[in-house]
Amino acid sequence: MKKILSLFMALVMLFSITATAFATNTEETYYTVPVQYSDNIGHHEGLRVMVQNDAVYVHAQMFAERLGYTFGETSDGLVIYNKDKTNGLPFGVTQFKYNSTQVSHMLFNAMVDTYEAPFAPIKNSEGSWIPLEYAALLLNSSAIIGKDALLIDIPTKKIIDYFLDIARNSGKYNFDWADDFGYTETDITVLGASSHLVNIFSGLLEFDGPSWATLFQQFAGSTTLYDKKYSEDIAILICTESDDELEAATEDIELMCDLLDVDSDLGKLLSFTDEMLDFEVGTLQKQCEAALAGLKAGNSTAVSYNRAYQALETAVDRQTSFLYTGGEFLEVQKRMADATGNLFSVLDWCTKLAEIGGYALEFYNQDKFSWGALQYYLTTAGNGLELPNAMKSSMVSYCNALSGTLKGYGVKRFWDNLDEWVTDAVTDKVLLHSIVGSQAAAALIAWNIASNTIPFLKDGLSGADNFELAIYSMVFQADTYLNYLSERDVVFAEDIAQENLYHLAQYCYLYLKSCYITREAALASLASKSSSTQEKIQPLVDYQNSINAEIARMLVKLKQATETTTEKQQTSVFGFLPSNNKQYLDEYDGSKLVLWVTEFGESTSIVLDNLVTDAYSEEFGGRKFHIPKINLDGDAVADINTEIWTTLYDGVVVDILEWWNKEHYEGDEYITYDWYINNTVLSLVIESLPVEWAWWDYYVYNVDITSRKEISRDSLLTLYGLSLDEYYELAKQVLGSRFWSGWDRTNENFQSSNFVSWFNEALRKTISRENIEKSIPYINGEGDLCILAPIYSLAGADYYWNNLNMIDFILIPDYANLVEPIVHTINISKDDAYRIACEYWGYSPEDVSGETGVVFVVGGEIQEVPNTGKSYYRYMLRCLVVGDDDSSSGSQMSTCDWIFIDAETGECVTTIS
Amino acid sequence: MKRLLLILLVFTLVVGLVGCGRKNTVKDTAQVLVDAFDTNDMTTINKTIFGSNEVTMDEEVLEIWGEPDTSDTSQEGVLEQIFPYVTVKAIKTTESSITYEIEAPDMRNVFDNFGVNMTDISEDELLQYIKEYAKNAEKKVVTVSLNCTFVHGKPIVEYRDEAFINAVTGGLLDAYKALYEQMLEEYRKGVGEP
């Protein structure tokens, strides 16, 4: 016990070490604090914060944009929003008013004005500042204090966000034969012509309201001849885990494990004690509890809104774990302890517990939530449930029967197999999810209709069965959709309470799972099609599968809705509701965050205004010479400053001073620079014209101002979400477009095959991967990714460096297409042409003009005719006109005639155009 | 004894008033749909039948997002072409039911005139065709009774009843079902499959 107490005290002391005398501070103080974002585990980024009146504010624009939102200003405040459906963030709008604690926040489709911040946002000369911790919660994120960085979650969608997603994608998740299997030329081989008319008609019905189309679809699939077998199959499939759900759950658990990775700040915090004290399960459990208590003690009250903290809390909470695991939790812990038998850290233990707890929770939710949802749905039949009686009654009776069969089905299967998995995971030192993801499906924890693995259905379903199942399921899908919509409108119009949201989540789960089942069954029914048809429809199948994978991610989240957990835990499931806001304010205590910022912020505080200054500055002969230095400490920055000085002072200025006397300087050289700050990235761009160079030169340095280290090209690209290949492609477009600027393909120079050859060679070199490798990216003052890159020249130097914006540029679509050279076919040699010319004039070398004397045939130059591809030899018939005095000085050559000989055909013509 | 009689009388009156109140509520509820069909008010018809409407984003949200309000679409739907010719009357209301008399153009054979080559028809052509068909179709009258229950004091009418939907659409639902079955049959057989 003493050991546990001492561990707890050690953790508390670790956090309290900074708790020196803290006086109320009414002056604003600015800091840049290190942050580890959940999408950049193991790395620190800087975040600008301000402390005033014992409150921590964050720079609103910097914070919002780093999380992926858009920042905007209004007449009396600021707004942070997202309307992009592709970035994975929730749709949302949050409005803060300066000097007011009232906040407006979008819930579902409307703004709710009853939110209240713990302190009012401020606008000053440094920017707009909002409460850090509170803003994080509103934006579906969270901020907790780590060992030497703030740990901030990148926002994820909550259940309320999925309600809106479904509303804005109503046609996407529903499965409909005509709509989803289409009537394209390819699909017509699967479906008949009637599908076209059905599809057109359904589309028109949508304009009357999407519910009409669903209702018609529901009645269309209804029949009085119901086979209860399919109702039972649907009930089983609803209540059990599909393989996509398992995969989505695994992804969630992987993310959670990443947060607890030994290189993450949370991991470091939990692993500061190297080894567990012993392997007695009770003691191990207590050590984890002590670690968690230490984490909580060192944090503000908002720590319990954090999803990683919640995962750990759930994992080490025996009561909850017992609930999820049917009482086997201690047994599994014992197996884990036996399997390890050697060094084991608190972190290892906590992570394994959290991981196992994560899976247990998923299977527990599957068993309990899904069955509960189905039963609740069927028993609320009085409120507009239109399932055909035969279908409804068979589902109700089978649902009751399932309560015995399914009770703990998933959890039991999990525990039956876990022993082996845990042993493998621990002895092989791999994470459990790398094993469970593949093996759980094989162990029939997850079903897949196409592969015929379905719980309780030994022989699976035939193709015809799947078709019928899809029809039945479609009826259920339509019914759940209409009822979900009614329920949703009531909840959001009348009472957005957690209990109501829970029931709405149940309805939503049933609707989405029925979409999933219908689509799976319909896809499985395609198995009987011929191989050529299957090949044709593969893109369609892939697209439908991708919709189901998206649905599965929502199902996993919906299943996490419970009625019994705390409001804080519900926050990570539903979102930050007005009721959560009230509780947050009641418990608010920001003092620990202020203490942490003032401690860590002081050591990382940076005066941004003077981050780069002149190390050397002089002007002579009207030319400027400014050599910069970066005013940050650290070895890496010192090396950069030395490099700049050596290159530019020793390499340029000293050279100039050797050539010129300052007073009489008449050269063209110069050195200038610009620098930009974007979040924590400093980009320094230096431009120089060295002595006797015909072109200017660039030097670029990108530095992370918090780590004081140079940022690699790849890391810089990551900030823009660009992979290296994407960067190469974009750079190619930028360079190619710049190369072409000022040219068009009708330029007369392209008539010359020589010119075309030079042009194409320069273009080829400019957009080559080798050239892009030489290029250097940086971020300009507008936050745009830019590039300094060589562009090859048609004349003069080999290439010139260009400073190009990679975001804001005019794309020339066919930039990569070389100029097609005009082919001038030459079949006739010069000798042959000469003979033809002689024949034309009937000339032989002995010919002497009767009137004037000697006659010559001269010429033979090739002349290209623009736009024709034709080349001609030009010959002249000339004669020597002898002077009167018989002296050679009086003689002269006179042209008697000329012709052009087609170099391709040998034809003689007198003019060319 | 008198006291007992008095209590019984008061009880009867209270029950009667509650019953009367419920009946009036049902009558008012029935009238909402009647009025909606009279004025061809699709929003109210949808809200009454489905309890929900298309989600429209708050204007304030759209303003911030810089997106136009798409809720006011000018695109016409199919039912909008038929409902102007539909008359709905609530001929009887009780606490637990509403009986409607519905006169609507007979749309049961609307798809019969299409030949096998239907892949060419466009949305506009189909809409125009249905519009003309509804305008010229013979009217038929159908009487439908719907159940009504009270949940938390509010009347819930089961409008999503197949007979009722068929009646207000003039049998269009049956026509659609037949077409849908034809489509599924084609699928079962596998058009183009060896």
Side-chain angles (χ1 to χ4, degrees):
Chain A
M1 188 61 193
K2 278 182 182 171
K3 284 178 180 174
I4 304 297
L5 275 175
S6 59
L7 177 66
F8 176 75
M9 288 308 294
L11 276 156
V12 172
M13 284 173 70
L14 177 76
F15 282 106
S16 307
I17 207 158
T18 58
T20 47
F22 178 68
T24 300
N25 185 3
T26 52
E27 292 293 314
E28 70 268 23
T29 319
Y30 300 96
Y31 302 91
T32 297
V33 292
V35 173
Q36 178 196 270
Y37 290 98
S38 62
D39 63 349
N40 195 15
I41 299 289
H43 301 281
H44 286 178
E45 299 175 36
L47 181 65
R48 293 189 71 195
V49 298
M50 176 182 84
V51 175
Q52 189 188 43
N53 293 328
D54 301 344
V56 178
Y57 298 80
V58 66
H59 190 276
Q61 182 169 5
M62 184 180 190
F63 187 51
E65 290 178 354
R66 177 57 184 86
L67 294 184
Y69 289 97
T70 306
F71 171 86
E73 296 211 62
T74 60
S75 57
D76 58 350
L78 62 99
V79 59
I80 295 170
Y81 65 94
N82 176 54
K83 61 171 185 172
D84 182 353
K85 63 169 77 170
T86 62
N87 60 9
L89 290 179
F91 290 119
V93 175
T94 303
Q95 269 186 304
F96 293 90
K97 286 180 187 161
Y98 298 126
N99 308 315
S100 163
T101 55
Q102 191 259 317
V103 179
S104 301
H105 180 61
M106 187 176 114
L107 274 187
F108 189 52
N109 65 332
M111 295 300 284
V112 175
D113 298 327
T114 55
Y115 281 91
E116 188 183 350
F119 45 91
I122 291 171
K123 183 176 173 65
N124 61 22
S125 58
E126 297 294 317
S128 301
W129 303 89
I130 52 178
L132 167 59
E133 198 178 67
Y134 178 75
L137 290 174
L138 274 179
L139 299 173
N140 282 13
S141 169
S142 67
I144 65 171
I145 300 168
K147 190 179 174 191
D148 48 16
L150 270 185
L151 315 181
I152 295 182
D153 270 344
I154 288 297
T156 50
K157 289 183 182 178
K158 314 291 185 189
I159 289 178
I160 285 195
D161 304 313
Y162 287 130
F163 292 152
L164 185 57
D165 279 3
I166 293 166
R168 287 171 71 90
N169 289 298
S170 59
K172 180 178 179 185
Y173 302 124
N174 258 326
F175 178 81
D176 180 71
W177 292 96
D179 201 21
D180 285 283
F181 277 11
Y183 53 92
T184 64
E185 197 178 338
T186 302
D187 309 325
I188 205 80
T189 58
V190 180
L191 284 178
S194 301
S195 68
H196 174 68
L197 193 54
V198 170
N199 199 44
I200 295 282
F201 182 79
S202 299
L204 289 171
L205 262 183
E206 291 264 344
F207 292 116
D208 292 304
S211 299
W212 281 107
T214 306
L215 188 67
F216 269 55
Q217 187 196 50
Q218 183 189 17
F219 286 130
S222 293
T223 166
T224 51
L225 301 171
Y226 270 93
D227 186 336
K228 74 172 187 176
K229 169 189 166 189
Y230 296 109
S231 304
E232 292 173 1
D233 290 348
I234 292 168
I236 283 178
L237 292 168
I238 283 174
C239 295
T240 48
E241 184 97 0
S242 66
D243 57 354
D244 280 332
E245 283 169 275
L246 179 62
E247 196 175 326
T250 301
E251 282 171 16
D252 264 8
I253 291 165
E254 278 175 6
L255 282 176
M256 191 269 297
C257 288
D258 285 347
L259 293 174
L260 297 172
D261 185 84
V262 70
D263 292 330
S264 73
D265 277 72
L266 196 54
K268 284 176 192 160
L269 194 64
L270 291 170
S271 60
F272 83 98
T273 51
D274 288 331
E275 294 168 21
M276 299 297 279
L277 303 175
D278 59 46
F279 292 96
E280 200 274 312
V281 168
T283 312
L284 293 170
Q285 176 81 24
K286 283 178 183 165
Q287 283 177 309
C288 283
E289 287 166 2
L292 203 62
L295 177 63
K296 189 170 186 175
N299 251 291
S300 70
T301 47
V303 69
S304 41
Y305 290 98
N306 180 266
R307 62 181 168 159
Y309 175 85
Q310 285 178 5
L312 286 171
E313 193 178 47
T314 305
V316 300
D317 181 73
R318 286 191 223 195
Q319 198 180 350
T320 315
S321 302
F322 265 68
L323 186 68
Y324 295 158
T325 61
E328 296 197 45
F329 197 65
L330 275 182
E331 183 57 31
V332 169
Q333 287 205 32
K334 189 169 179 308
R335 286 180 216 160
M336 279 173 62
D338 293 343
T340 54
N342 46 29
L343 295 181
F344 215 54
S345 69
V346 173
L347 175 66
D348 288 334
W349 189 256
C350 282
T351 308
K352 283 280 178 290
L353 284 188
E355 196 179 6
I356 292 171
Y359 281 109
L361 178 60
E362 167 62 17
F363 292 122
Y364 172 80
N365 288 338
Q366 183 60 61
D367 293 343
K368 188 167 186 298
F369 179 88
S370 59
W371 183 84
L374 183 58
Q375 201 189 40
Y376 174 74
Y377 187 79
L378 293 172
T379 53
T380 50
N383 300 341
L385 191 71
E386 295 83 19
L387 279 182
N389 281 336
M391 188 176 187
K392 181 177 151 191
S393 61
S394 61
M395 283 190 93
V396 168
S397 61
Y398 195 64
C399 186
N400 291 333
L402 273 179
S403 69
T405 320
L406 276 182
K407 194 174 182 182
Y409 168 76
V411 170
K412 187 173 183 313
R413 300 287 301 174
F414 180 59
W415 293 114
D416 285 349
N417 290 278
L418 188 63
D419 188 21
E420 187 187 333
W421 295 337
V422 166
T423 307
D424 288 351
V426 175
T427 51
D428 297 345
K429 292 196 178 304
V430 295
L431 291 168
L432 189 61
H433 59 251
S434 65
I435 296 174
V436 175
S438 56
Q439 295 197 0
L444 285 185
I445 285 173
W447 56 258
N448 179 317
I449 293 179
S451 67
N452 251 347
T453 56
I454 302 171
F456 310 114
L457 298 184
K458 272 188 180 174
D459 301 323
L461 295 162
S462 68
D465 279 343
N466 285 326
F467 180 76
E468 298 303 326
L469 177 64
I471 302 287
Y472 279 65
S473 184
M474 192 182 73
V475 175
F476 189 66
Q477 168 193 280
D479 194 66
T480 50
Y481 179 61
L482 293 173
N483 283 290
Y484 159 69
L485 291 187
S486 308
E487 188 80 5
R488 183 199 68 193
D489 282 9
V490 170
V491 169
F492 284 101
E494 294 176 6
D495 189 3
I496 313 176
Q498 288 192 356
E499 185 191 350
N500 294 336
L501 286 174
Y502 171 70
H503 290 305
L504 185 59
Q506 287 184 311
Y507 269 51
C508 187
Y509 174 83
L510 289 177
Y511 160 60
L512 286 177
K513 188 112 183 202
S514 62
C515 295
Y516 182 92
I517 293 167
T518 311
R519 186 170 278 105
E520 283 282 302
L523 288 171
S525 74
L526 295 175
S528 58
K529 301 295 167 198
S530 66
S531 56
S532 64
T533 299
Q534 291 208 29
E535 198 177 316
K536 281 180 194 166
I537 60 175
Q538 193 54 45
L540 175 89
V541 172
D542 291 342
Y543 176 65
Q544 294 298 323
N545 280 330
S546 74
I547 296 174
N548 262 5
E550 193 177 327
I551 289 175
R553 284 192 282 277
M554 293 193 262
L555 292 175
V556 168
K557 189 66 86 179
L558 286 163
K559 278 185 284 189
Q560 291 169 7
T562 68
E563 284 180 296
T564 53
T565 48
T566 65
E567 289 196 345
K568 287 175 188 170
Q569 286 170 323
Q570 290 283 18
T571 304
S572 67
V573 179
F574 286 117
F576 196 69
L577 303 176
S579 57
N580 303 123
N581 196 147
K582 187 176 178 311
Q583 188 183 21
Y584 173 79
L585 290 180
D586 289 345
E587 296 174 354
Y588 174 73
D589 173 9
S591 60
K592 283 177 183 149
L593 186 58
V594 175
L595 274 174
W596 186 87
V597 168
T598 48
E599 281 296 316
F600 280 81
E602 275 177 8
S603 61
T604 58
S605 156
I606 294 163
V607 183
L608 293 174
D609 290 345
N610 298 311
L611 202 54
V612 179
T613 53
D614 286 340
Y616 171 84
S617 173
E618 210 161 352
E619 190 173 331
F620 33 87
R623 310 296 283 182
K624 290 178 179 170
F625 297 88
H626 295 285
I627 300 175
K629 66 172 178 187
I630 301 171
N631 297 310
L632 285 172
D633 49 20
D635 293 343
V637 174
D639 289 346
I640 292 171
N641 284 338
T642 304
E643 185 179 301
I644 294 172
W645 182 261
T646 310
T647 310
L648 295 171
Y649 187 79
D650 299 343
V652 178
V653 176
V654 170
D655 264 8
I656 293 170
L657 296 178
E658 279 176 6
W659 276 75
W660 298 91
N661 180 313
K662 277 187 203 175
E663 282 72 40
H664 303 101
Y665 176 79
E666 290 176 0
D668 294 324
E669 295 81 6
Y670 64 86
I671 303 169
T672 59
Y673 66 88
D674 283 304
W675 59 281
Y676 315 98
I677 289 283
N678 288 282
N679 292 336
T680 58
V681 179
L682 162 70
S683 288
L684 172 60
V685 180
I686 308 167
E687 187 179 321
S688 148
L689 183 65
V691 177
E692 288 195 322
W693 283 31
W695 57 90
W696 55 99
D697 211 356
Y698 284 104
Y699 305 89
V700 175
Y701 299 92
N702 294 299
V703 175
D704 184 318
I705 60 175
T706 53
S707 67
R708 281 107 157 115
K709 288 183 179 158
E710 197 159 6
I711 301 171
S712 69
R713 176 190 61 185
D714 294 0
S715 298
L716 198 71
L717 299 181
T718 326
L719 297 175
Y720 288 83
L722 290 173
S723 68
L724 199 54
D725 282 341
E726 287 166 338
Y727 166 71
Y728 283 131
E729 187 54 37
L730 180 60
K732 203 173 155 187
Q733 291 175 3
V734 172
L735 294 182
S737 297
R738 169 54 71 94
F739 186 90
W740 271 101
S741 62
W743 294 94
D744 66 57
R745 288 178 189 274
T746 59
N747 190 294
E748 62 179 18
N749 284 304
F750 295 145
Q751 302 307 323
S752 159
S753 50
N754 283 338
F755 185 84
V756 167
S757 169
W758 297 329
F759 187 92
N760 284 346
E761 183 59 15
L763 173 60
R764 206 179 285 119
K765 280 183 179 171
T766 298
I767 61 176
S768 70
R769 192 143 175 148
E770 190 187 358
N771 188 49
I772 294 170
E773 277 291 350
K774 291 182 205 159
S775 309
I776 317 160
Y778 73 93
I779 307 173
N780 74 3
E782 276 72 52
D784 291 346
L785 184 65
C786 297
I787 190 174
L788 282 157
I791 290 191
Y792 280 80
S793 167
L794 297 172
D798 197 16
Y799 56 76
Y800 292 97
W801 285 90
N802 277 252
N803 191 348
L804 306 167
N805 191 313
M806 297 186 84
I807 306 294
D808 183 13
F809 71 99
I810 297 167
L811 175 68
I812 294 176
D814 58 348
Y815 69 89
N817 295 343
L818 301 179
V819 177
E820 286 290 331
I822 293 175
V823 180
H824 293 263
T825 310
I826 296 176
N827 297 329
I828 308 295
S829 69
K830 191 174 176 180
D831 289 346
D832 290 341
Y834 177 76
R835 273 193 292 277
I836 293 168
C838 290
E839 281 170 18
Y840 177 81
W841 282 304
Y843 167 80
S844 63
E846 306 83 40
D847 280 357
V848 175
S849 164
E851 295 172 4
T852 57
V854 185
V855 176
F856 302 93
V857 171
V858 294
E861 303 83 22
I862 283 274
Q863 197 168 332
E864 292 176 349
V865 181
N867 301 320
T868 64
K870 286 282 185 191
S871 295
Y872 293 88
Y873 292 100
R874 181 169 183 266
Y875 280 97
M876 290 178 289
L877 182 69
R878 309 195 81 186
C879 54
L880 182 68
V881 180
V882 182
D884 294 340
D885 56 359
D886 283 345
S887 67
S888 58
S889 60
S891 301
Q892 59 178 12
M893 293 298 291
S894 173
T895 301
C896 309
D897 193 9
W898 63 84
I899 57 164
F900 298 93
I901 299 162
D902 188 326
E904 185 181 3
T905 63
E907 184 190 356
C908 294
V909 293
T910 53
T911 56
I912 55 174
S913 56
Chain B
M1 187 60 189
K2 275 184 184 172
R3 194 176 288 171
L4 266 177
L5 277 174
L6 188 64
I7 292 169
L8 189 64
L9 183 64
V10 169
F11 182 75
T12 311
L13 277 169
V14 168
V15 170
L17 281 171
V18 169
C20 193
R22 281 194 165 186
K23 193 177 168 189
N24 284 338
T25 308
V26 174
K27 199 173 176 183
D28 292 345
T29 304
Q31 193 58 36
V32 171
L33 192 73
V34 171
D35 293 344
F37 269 96
D38 264 358
T39 53
N40 200 23
D41 175 1
M42 280 303 287
T43 306
T44 307
I45 292 173
N46 286 349
K47 182 76 184 168
T48 309
I49 293 177
F50 297 105
S52 64
N53 255 314
E54 179 107 42
V55 166
T56 53
M57 298 305 294
D58 202 329
E59 277 180 26
E60 203 178 342
V61 172
L62 292 174
E63 199 176 311
I64 291 165
W65 281 356
E67 284 182 4
D69 185 353
T70 51
S71 58
D72 181 27
T73 172
S74 55
Q75 174 68 43
E76 295 173 307
V78 176
L79 302 179
E80 269 185 278
Q81 314 308 321
I82 301 171
F83 287 168
Y85 307 105
V86 177
T87 311
V88 177
K89 289 178 191 165
I91 54 174
K92 188 182 174 189
T93 52
T94 68
E95 286 176 47
S96 58
S97 71
I98 303 172
T99 303
Y100 286 106
E101 185 184 271
I102 299 157
E103 186 187 65
D106 188 348
M107 305 293 290
R108 284 175 297 180
N109 301 320
V110 66
F111 297 122
D112 288 359
N113 292 339
F114 284 95
V116 284
N117 188 14
M118 294 178 285
T119 51
D120 288 340
I121 191 162
S122 70
E123 217 169 53
D124 284 345
E125 286 168 340
L126 182 61
L127 190 69
Q128 196 56 37
Y129 168 76
I130 290 174
K131 199 173 186 175
E132 287 299 313
Y133 194 97
K135 191 176 163 186
N136 300 319
E138 281 186 22
K139 298 276 184 70
K140 62 171 187 152
V141 179
V142 178
T143 304
V144 182
S145 282
L146 299 175
N147 289 332
C148 177
T149 50
F150 277 80
V151 177
H152 304 307
K154 289 182 180 173
I156 307 287
V157 184
E158 293 174 20
Y159 284 112
R160 282 157 13 208
D161 173 272
E162 190 168 349
F164 176 77
I165 298 298
N166 233 331
V168 293
T169 60
L172 186 66
L173 176 59
D174 274 344
Y176 177 78
K177 280 180 75 173
L179 186 68
Y180 208 91
E181 183 52 38
Q182 193 182 330
M183 179 192 80
L184 293 178
E185 198 50 39
E186 285 169 357
Y187 176 85
R188 280 192 188 95
K189 286 180 192 162
V191 176
E193 282 289 303

